[in-house]
Amino acid sequence: MSERESLCAIKVGGSLLKDGKSYLEAAKNIKKFVDEGLLPIVVVSAAKGVTDALLEVTRGAAEKLGKVFDLYMGIATELGSQKVYKRVLEELELLKRITNSVIEGYDPVLQDLILSFGERISKVLMVEALEAMGVRALELNARELIITNDVHGDATIDYVTTANHLEKLVNSIISTAAVPVIEGFIGATEDGRVTTLGRGGSDYTATTIAALLRLNDVYLVTEVDGIMTADPSVIPTARIVKVMSYREAMEAALHGAKRINPKAFEPLEKFYGSVVHIGSWKLFGTKIVQAIPKEHRGPKVMMHRSLHEMPYIAIIGEGVSDTSFIKKVIDILYEQGVEIMGLQTYYYRPSIIMHVKKGSEVSTLKLLHKKVFEEVD
Ligand code: ASP
Ligand code: MG
């Protein structure tokens, strides 16, 4: 394996970052990659609940800042280094000064600046946690590296400029062999204003880095073992989907599947087809690849959603708009006497949608999940 090939990207999701212990747990798991001879580029989210709290601050709920203070100072204290304690305190004080300037009315530029502190501070804590685990770490600055357009709150990355920045850095990363840590979710415009990439945007940061540096693998770490065939709180028999295509994952995201940011697949489609692994530290159960082999065509995920108060069920997967699959679904519904109020499918989108009567969505979902995923014919 060449040194360049040893690079991968790991995004640590905010749901995993709750206290000092969880930062150390993440660091311990990142160390396993290092021990295997890999050099992961670590992308961190803000700790759990921080982005939501900061959003409320930008909307005038100044008291929510206290929650962010307590959480981050608590973690800094747990990690126990004077240096980090001081750094985090400085950042929080700067954040406080900035939030004092929040006045009535929506200011997207100020909002992004305030939100950015969630990831900025989380990065400092992750670097400290890695060093505490004996892993040499290197802080990168997303505001210098990830260049975006000026759509505040939902910015798109300027791939050309960002690729230049990353490419310039990559040799020094390899030669120092220290684990680089960068904030997810944030970037800056060409003229230096902080932007954010939209909710769940850390995935997009990680996949962009992977695609632009042509990395083989990018790991998105969350608290579940992978993408499931359905929401397990509705369908307890839901299973992990082992392989999906970018198109399928994007389609699931468009229908509001949790934990996937639809923009995340764009750089992978455009520049390089890194394999996206989704899962927990224990198990990366789902692999998302550019093109799935033929035998993996078919339904992957189903969910119920509602649009303008009209419930619908979406089934997502390459080939679900084929006649044979549509017939199968219609037969199941017909046999069980389930009325549908409409069916929608487009040949260029890997999904079918069925509008169902209000109140029947859960039972219909259960029926379809059982017949499509649990009964092998
Ligand atoms: N912290 C941001 C959010 O909660 C970004 C992310 O977690 O990916 O949306
Ligand atoms: Mg988050």
Side-chain angles (χ1 to χ4, degrees):
M1 191 162 54
S2 77
E3 282 172 324
R4 180 85 193 222
E5 277 169 47
S6 69
L7 289 170
C8 64
I10 303 178
K11 177 229 131 177
V12 186
S15 59
L16 293 172
L17 302 171
K18 298 184 276 251
D19 48 22
K21 213 174 118 220
S22 46
Y23 277 83
L24 291 169
E25 177 71 19
K28 196 175 89 192
N29 282 287
I30 292 165
K31 184 172 188 292
K32 289 185 191 157
F33 284 75
V34 178
D35 291 343
E36 276 171 29
L38 295 168
L39 184 50
I41 299 173
V42 177
V43 178
V44 277
S45 297
K48 190 172 183 169
V50 166
T51 305
D52 289 327
L54 292 176
L55 255 181
E56 292 194 53
V57 172
T58 67
R59 291 172 186 150
E63 72 281 2
K64 294 282 176 193
L65 200 59
K67 200 181 143 191
V68 177
F69 252 82
D70 291 349
L71 180 66
Y72 276 153
M73 288 315 294
I75 296 171
T77 308
E78 263 184 86
L79 293 177
S81 129
Q82 274 297 327
K83 193 180 92 219
V84 166
Y85 188 89
K86 241 186 97 213
R87 256 300 279 293
V88 172
L89 189 60
E90 272 167 21
E91 290 270 302
L92 286 167
E93 275 165 357
L94 176 58
L95 171 62
K96 185 147 194 268
R97 282 200 296 279
I98 293 169
T99 56
N100 283 339
S101 62
V102 173
I103 38 166
E104 290 281 307
Y106 174 63
D107 179 345
V109 179
L110 189 58
Q111 174 163 316
D112 273 354
L113 180 61
I114 291 172
L115 290 183
S116 73
F117 280 84
E119 269 70 10
R120 282 167 64 160
I121 299 173
S122 189
K123 175 187 74 176
V124 172
L125 296 168
M126 186 60 78
V127 168
E128 178 59 29
L130 283 165
E131 305 230 295
M133 284 290 161
V135 178
R136 273 201 307 131
L138 168 79
E139 241 182 76
L140 302 182
N141 186 345
R143 287 164 293 150
E144 284 165 9
L145 291 169
I146 309 293
I147 303 305
T148 72
N149 65 9
D150 61 1
V151 181
H152 287 277
D154 192 18
T156 298
I157 296 172
D158 173 343
Y159 298 119
V160 176
T161 314
T162 302
N164 275 333
H165 289 171
L166 292 172
E167 204 50 57
K168 272 190 209 138
L169 204 74
V170 76
N171 287 331
S172 69
I173 289 176
I174 290 170
S175 63
T176 57
V179 169
V181 185
I182 188 168
E183 306 94 334
F185 179 58
I186 70 176
T189 58
E190 198 87 57
D191 57 4
R193 260 179 297 171
V194 179
T195 51
T196 61
L197 307 173
R199 296 309 304 268
S202 302
D203 290 345
Y204 179 35
T205 306
T207 55
T208 297
I209 291 173
L212 297 181
L213 289 176
R214 308 174 76 78
L215 309 183
N216 291 331
D217 299 285
V218 44
Y219 297 85
L220 307 179
V221 195
T222 70
E223 80 281 21
V224 293
D225 294 340
I227 293 178
M228 310 287 287
T229 50
D231 179 349
S233 67
V234 183
I235 312 280
T237 47
R239 312 193 264 255
I240 291 174
V241 181
K242 293 216 172 77
V243 186
M244 282 177 103
S245 67
Y246 296 159
R247 256 165 57 89
E248 289 172 334
M250 220 172 344
E251 189 73 9
L254 289 174
H255 285 291
K258 273 186 284 182
R259 304 185 191 88
I260 315 176
N261 181 306
K263 275 187 289 186
F265 296 96
E266 186 185 87
L268 300 167
E269 294 265 21
K270 271 196 172 142
F271 301 104
Y272 190 75
S274 315
V275 176
V276 181
H277 304 263
I278 299 190
S280 65
W281 291 124
K282 275 204 304 296
L283 174 69
F284 286 97
T286 304
K287 253 189 213 173
I288 308 180
V289 296
Q290 181 126 46
I292 44 168
K294 254 215 170 80
E295 66 270 23
H296 284 290
R297 269 171 71 86
K300 301 283 156 37
V301 176
M302 53 177 79
M303 57 184 97
H304 72 82
R305 284 284 177 272
S306 165
L307 192 67
H308 311 302
E309 308 247 312
M310 282 280 294
Y312 72 86
I313 289 172
I315 306 183
I316 290 140
E318 299 283 358
V320 296
S321 52
D322 294 356
T323 316
S324 60
F325 186 74
I326 293 178
K327 179 174 184 302
K328 178 175 174 166
V329 169
I330 297 285
D331 284 346
I332 294 168
L333 297 173
Y334 183 74
E335 274 160 30
Q336 300 293 320
V338 179
E339 286 291 332
I340 58 168
M341 301 162 78
L343 183 135
Q344 216 173 305
T345 160
Y346 301 97
Y347 71 92
Y348 55 87
R349 283 181 67 171
S351 66
I352 56 173
I353 287 169
M354 281 151 291
H355 296 276
V356 294
K357 288 212 174 105
K358 239 189 202 162
S360 72
E361 54 270 35
V362 171
S363 59
T364 310
L365 186 70
K366 283 185 176 157
L367 169 71
L368 287 170
H369 192 277
K370 185 158 165 259
K371 296 281 181 189
V372 171
F373 289 126
E374 298 171 47
E375 286 176 11
V376 194
D377 44 21

